[in-house]
Amino acid sequence: MQVLVINCGSSSVKYNLIETDGRIDVCKGMVERIGAVTAIIKHQPENGKPVKDTKTITNHVEALQEIMGFLLSPDNKLVDSPADIKAVGHRVVHGGEMFKDSVLIDEDVMDAIEQAIDLAPLHNPPNLKGIQAAIKQFPDIPHVAVFDTAFHHSLPAKAFLYGIPNRFYRRYKIRKYGFHGTSHYYVSRQYYKMIDKPVEDTKVISCHLGNGASIAAIEGGKSVDTSMGFTPLSGLVMGTRSGDIDPSILFYLVEKEELPLSNVHALVNRHSGLLGLSGYAADMRDLITEAQNGDRRCQQAIDVFCYKIKQFIGSYIATMNGCDAIIMTAGIGENAALVREKSLEHLDFLGVKLDKERNNNVNPGEITRISTDDSKVEVLIIPTNEELVIAIDAAKIAQAAGQSPWI
Ligand code: ADP
């Protein structure tokens, strides 16, 4: 079945056209800088040349028309007719407490996603905009919402409650939600396919290390704790996000620098993390290059990043009273041997032994074991594929629904 997967940001639409039976990414691409003078358009067909273009695109509906124009063009032969696309899967960042699984989008679901805007003011509005634009474009096929938070629904209260007055949980649903759920779900399922042990008996730590980064403790196939919290700001140090800090720092800074609250928000979300620590870049490749050239701050940023990963791994081994496998995934986890080595060194007491040779000789895109043969805990690189999870969920739900609720 051909499924279009859509991931909308405030000024961007990323897409993947996936053939779910063969699990083939037929084409992927994005429209960026929607609403700016010129938008940037990129398409990457599986069996074709990458295409890059610029033109004026004023809104998400136009962006989707542009994408469909490319997919339907007789020159590209990717989709014969719009009717060949049988479902649209939408990545939605925050499902609040309501959504434990992916769902067919109808009016009630739209309302519930809207209600969750309060919890994810940066992410849910563009997600919703994307859904509205896509329904306008494809009213007669089912649309499915797949939530970043859904996989973490299994967190026990002791893991999701914060140490603040309980009435704030009851009144405003302030709790840990966790994110990157589709990625943690996908890589853990890939691991289960490799082993003989029953899933119920497994303990896995999944490290999704990209621009955004989070770690999940997965026991018996279910997420039992995760490093991101009420929002995707907490936990690990990230590209531009601070991760966990002492909340008093914010009060202190507001006073010392006379900062308005909106600036504090930008400070911890967009000017902190690797970028803030290094004063140079948010991108791990740039930091590694500069650290190798002797830049002390870039080296420190990498050190802090890796130290936090190690701390979460240690704490999740305690949470689960053991661990069968640690999975490394996403841009940094899959590609940065240095980060894997630094994050996993000195964990031999906990049964983690990295094989440096294996760690330094990984073929990109392949599942690879990088622990030693006698390591009690297996360490694996498993490339993530969030879009495939969204496509498969969308295909299943669309098939069960039979027809779109929008016609
Ligand atoms: P996101 O999807 O969250 O935007 P990605 O999963 O694509 O992020 O990860 C982006 C990060 O991966 C960047 O910090 C980038 O520098 C890093 N990365 C990608 N390739 C490499 C590499 N070969 N070596 C080190 N870091 C890499």
Side-chain angles (χ1 to χ4, degrees):
M1 184 192 275
Q2 283 201 329
V3 178
L4 187 64
V5 174
I6 291 174
N7 181 358
C8 282
S10 54
S11 62
S12 68
V13 177
K14 291 186 188 155
Y15 78 92
N16 295 65
L17 177 69
I18 296 182
E19 170 54 63
T20 53
D21 303 326
R23 302 193 161 201
I24 300 161
D25 215 344
V26 180
C27 187
K28 63 183 171 190
M30 60 173 83
V31 180
E32 291 173 296
R33 294 161 52 110
I34 296 168
V37 180
T38 47
I40 301 169
I41 302 152
K42 293 179 193 158
H43 304 284
Q44 172 65 72
E46 164 78 3
N47 298 312
K49 283 193 193 137
V51 174
K52 197 172 168 188
D53 197 4
T54 52
K55 66 168 75 163
T56 304
I57 297 211
T58 53
N59 57 42
H60 288 67
V61 175
E62 281 179 29
L64 284 172
Q65 282 164 351
E66 177 67 30
I67 292 166
M68 280 314 292
F70 181 82
L71 296 175
L72 286 166
S73 147
D75 295 343
N76 301 320
K77 297 193 184 71
L78 295 163
V79 179
D80 290 334
S81 113
D84 288 355
I85 297 176
K86 303 290 185 203
V88 182
H90 295 267
R91 178 183 181 212
V92 181
V93 169
H94 214 309
E97 282 204 314
M98 174 94 88
F99 297 107
K100 299 183 175 68
D101 291 300
S102 307
V103 285
L104 182 71
I105 301 174
D106 58 15
E107 291 282 3
D108 291 344
V109 170
M110 294 279 268
D111 287 349
I113 296 173
E114 197 153 1
Q115 276 166 32
I117 283 180
D118 232 16
L119 298 171
L122 296 180
H123 296 96
N124 274 27
N127 294 161
L128 205 57
K129 220 182 202 178
I131 293 172
Q132 283 156 346
I135 289 174
K136 206 164 175 185
Q137 177 88 6
F138 311 103
D140 45 0
I141 54 176
H143 292 250
V144 172
V146 180
F147 300 93
D148 263 20
T149 44
F151 181 55
H152 301 299
H153 235 275
S154 42
L155 256 59
K158 67 181 175 190
F160 75 62
L161 285 175
Y162 290 114
I164 56 174
N166 193 275
R167 66 177 179 280
F168 295 130
Y169 168 56
R170 296 196 307 274
R171 215 180 273 172
Y172 307 116
K173 299 286 175 220
I174 295 177
R175 50 160 285 177
K176 178 184 280 195
Y177 290 97
F179 299 86
H180 290 142
T182 36
S183 178
H184 293 302
Y185 171 85
Y186 177 79
V187 296
S188 56
R189 267 56 199 172
Q190 293 297 102
Y191 169 68
Y192 301 144
K193 284 186 197 161
M194 299 164 55
I195 54 167
D196 295 330
K197 206 171 174 178
V199 171
E200 301 73 58
D201 301 338
T202 55
K203 296 172 180 180
V204 175
I205 295 173
S206 162
C207 307
H208 177 108
L209 310 176
N211 279 318
S214 74
I215 302 196
I218 306 169
E219 195 169 356
K222 294 195 171 122
S223 176
V224 291
D225 206 350
T226 190
S227 59
M228 282 179 170
F230 179 58
T231 70
L233 175 61
S234 68
L236 300 172
V237 163
M238 297 172 231
T240 61
R241 290 174 234 163
S242 64
D244 289 343
I245 60 170
D246 179 341
S248 304
I249 295 168
L250 302 181
F251 307 125
Y252 192 77
L253 275 178
V254 164
E255 205 178 299
K256 286 279 173 199
E257 303 250 319
E258 295 178 12
L259 288 179
L261 267 184
S262 57
N263 287 26
V264 177
H265 189 273
L267 175 77
V268 286
N269 276 288
R270 289 197 272 118
H271 306 294
S272 293
L274 293 171
L275 176 64
L277 278 165
S278 65
Y280 177 69
D283 192 290
M284 186 54 82
R285 279 167 294 205
D286 297 340
L287 294 176
I288 292 173
T289 307
E290 281 313 295
Q292 279 161 353
N293 291 337
D295 187 300
R296 196 174 51 85
R297 289 217 191 127
C298 290
Q299 184 59 57
Q300 265 177 357
I302 298 169
D303 290 347
V304 175
F305 183 80
C306 297
Y307 183 63
K308 296 283 181 213
I309 296 168
K310 185 206 294 279
Q311 285 188 316
F312 270 102
I313 290 174
S315 95
Y316 289 163
I317 291 180
T319 294
M320 297 190 289
N321 186 23
C323 179
D324 300 303
I326 296 171
I327 300 170
M328 292 282 172
T329 197
I332 299 172
E334 291 170 35
N335 298 300
L338 175 81
V339 170
R340 295 192 298 261
E341 184 176 331
K342 277 186 157 294
S343 315
L344 296 166
E345 67 189 359
H346 303 142
L347 283 173
D348 32 339
F349 179 77
L350 297 176
V352 182
K353 279 203 232 164
L354 194 72
D355 185 317
K356 288 192 185 172
E357 180 82 16
R358 286 177 183 163
N359 185 42
N360 287 320
N361 292 291
V362 172
N363 288 330
E366 282 181 15
I367 296 182
T368 312
R369 182 156 58 86
I370 54 169
S371 45
T372 60
D373 290 342
D374 66 344
S375 179
K376 204 167 135 194
V377 178
E378 214 175 351
V379 184
L380 296 154
I381 296 171
I382 302 186
T384 193
N385 194 342
E386 291 160 281
E387 294 76 20
L388 182 62
V389 176
I390 297 173
I392 290 174
D393 267 13
K396 262 193 250 161
I397 291 172
Q399 257 163 348
Q403 69 169 47
S404 164
W406 300 95
I407 47 172

